[in-house]
Amino acid sequence: MADVAKLAGVSGQTVSRVVNGNDRVTAATRLRVEAAMQQLGYRANIAARALATGRFGTIGVVMFNLSAVLNVRIVEAVVTGAQARGYSVSVAVVDGPTEKDVRAAVRGLTDRAVDGVIVIEARVLDTPHLRLPEEVPLVIADSRAAHKHPTFGMDEAAGARAAVDHLLGLGHATVHHVAGPAGSNPAQRRRAAWQRQLKRSGRAVPPPVAGDWSPRSGYDAALRLLADDDVTAVFAANDQMAVGVLRAAAELGRRVPGDLSVVGFDDLDFAPFLTPPLTTVRQDLETVGRRCVEHLIARIEEPRGTGAPQPASRFVRPELIVRASTAPPPTARH
């Protein structure tokens, strides 16, 4: 660093500010320092910087499924937010949803010198209360508040209620549900909210048909549901299963939305391009990821987290996106 400062004709403190992305450096000075760094082949010594600042400049992320679109959207928001603040991101993928696996992943990240950890959907199947190592600040991205650590997530129950209210408001007598798998916390929350909202509205609660999030499972579930001509409205727990419902309806000659209304959940990229375009619940997962990383960095950069801001709301309300797959039932149009 001293060599860079000498070549650029600046102080060592100025070089440090450039390395750490500090804004208190003019553009011309920054370019001069960066040119000197490139000429000398300078790279920051992470270990030395950690000794001086007490921080490594890295955030760890623990997630369960790297191929899950929704998890990836949160990670992308975390990476973008972390990089904007000068932090890099290290990701650990957990093979099994057990407390032992999650704790091992967090320990592995702390061993690799991270300043804090974000756990995405802290779901475990072998204990009701997940206990996590506390050597570093930790934030959880989840839709439950039952964690001792700061938690940010989507208000999935509000999304399911909006879907049910929309269909009942159109005049449907009740709403049938293609649920996600029994072991999934998001599936459980959406199913429970669907059921509660029907009961609150004084409507019959038909038995849900479980799927596994895939289009095929939605298709198979719809074949069972649509054997009953009285079924006029289906709320699928995700957009992929809603795709299967649309395919089954087409094969059975049930017009959407003429004979059947369909609502999905997630608002994935393909939802507006289906035939018909899918009414669905949009989750603002980018805001969830951004709030996680902002709160975590505030905890990292303040002694013992005392300066970390307390957000007005930890849970983001989803938005119902109404498209052409929903309409009043046939009887209401006659």
Side-chain angles (χ1 to χ4, degrees):
M1 188 176 287
D3 293 338
V4 171
K6 181 177 179 181
L7 180 60
V10 298
S11 67
Q13 186 178 32
T14 298
V15 175
S16 178
R17 286 173 178 164
V18 172
V19 170
N20 293 306
N22 193 302
D23 293 333
R24 294 168 57 191
V25 180
T26 66
T29 300
R30 183 180 302 278
L31 287 173
R32 196 162 70 249
V33 171
E34 289 175 347
M37 291 167 60
Q38 184 174 5
Q39 182 176 336
L40 295 174
Y42 171 83
R43 290 189 304 168
N45 186 318
I46 301 301
R49 183 164 62 186
L51 286 172
T53 65
R55 295 195 294 269
F56 297 96
T58 302
I59 290 172
V61 173
V62 175
M63 61 189 300
F64 286 87
N65 187 349
L66 195 57
S67 64
V69 175
L70 304 186
N71 284 354
V72 171
R73 284 172 57 189
I74 295 177
V75 172
E76 287 177 344
V78 168
V79 170
T80 300
Q83 289 179 341
R85 296 288 298 274
Y87 286 79
S88 60
V89 175
S90 180
V91 177
V93 181
V94 179
D95 291 330
T98 68
E99 180 172 352
K100 178 181 177 182
D101 289 335
V102 176
R103 288 174 64 86
V106 174
R107 294 270 187 207
L109 287 170
T110 57
D111 289 345
R112 281 159 30 202
V114 298
D115 299 306
V117 175
I118 296 172
V119 180
I120 297 178
E121 193 186 347
R123 58 186 175 91
V124 293
L125 301 182
D126 60 343
T127 177
H129 302 293
L130 176 63
R131 296 168 298 170
L132 294 169
E134 299 187 18
E135 290 87 349
V136 297
L138 192 144
V139 172
I140 293 174
D142 201 351
S143 296
R144 296 172 296 167
H147 299 292
K148 63 177 291 187
H149 299 282
T151 303
F152 300 85
M154 294 302 305
D155 188 346
E156 294 187 75
R161 289 195 301 269
V164 172
D165 286 345
H166 171 65
L167 291 166
L168 295 182
L170 290 171
H172 295 275
T174 190
V175 178
H176 292 257
H177 186 44
V178 178
S184 164
N185 285 317
Q188 291 173 7
R189 287 189 286 272
R190 296 169 197 181
R191 182 171 62 248
W194 157 79
Q195 185 178 50
R196 285 195 302 268
Q197 199 64 8
L198 286 179
K199 288 182 177 179
R200 287 190 187 124
S201 302
R203 307 302 178 94
V205 182
V209 181
D212 61 10
W213 299 128
S214 70
R216 177 73 202 200
S217 69
Y219 172 83
D220 291 339
L223 290 180
R224 294 171 56 187
L225 287 173
L226 300 182
D228 182 352
D229 291 337
D230 291 334
V231 174
T232 64
V234 173
F235 164 45
N238 75 340
D239 287 349
Q240 288 100 324
M241 291 192 298
V243 170
V245 175
L246 293 177
R247 173 62 183 269
E251 290 187 2
L252 295 173
R254 300 285 291 274
R255 296 170 300 127
V256 178
D259 303 315
L260 177 73
S261 287
V262 180
V263 177
F265 203 107
D266 293 332
D267 194 28
L268 297 182
D269 291 344
F270 58 73
F273 302 100
L274 297 173
T275 303
L278 181 66
T279 295
T280 185
V281 177
R282 175 180 294 166
Q283 299 198 78
D284 187 1
L285 297 169
E286 288 73 22
T287 294
V288 172
R290 186 169 63 251
R291 289 185 181 179
C292 284
V293 74
E294 288 173 353
H295 191 80
L296 182 63
I297 290 176
R299 295 189 67 205
I300 290 168
E301 296 184 350
E302 295 291 337
R304 289 182 292 277
T306 55
Q310 296 303 312
S313 174
R314 295 189 186 278
F315 294 94
V316 180
R317 193 177 186 87
E319 177 185 5
L320 181 70
I321 306 299
V322 178
R323 299 193 179 100
S325 68
T326 52
T331 55
R333 291 193 292 273
H334 293 329

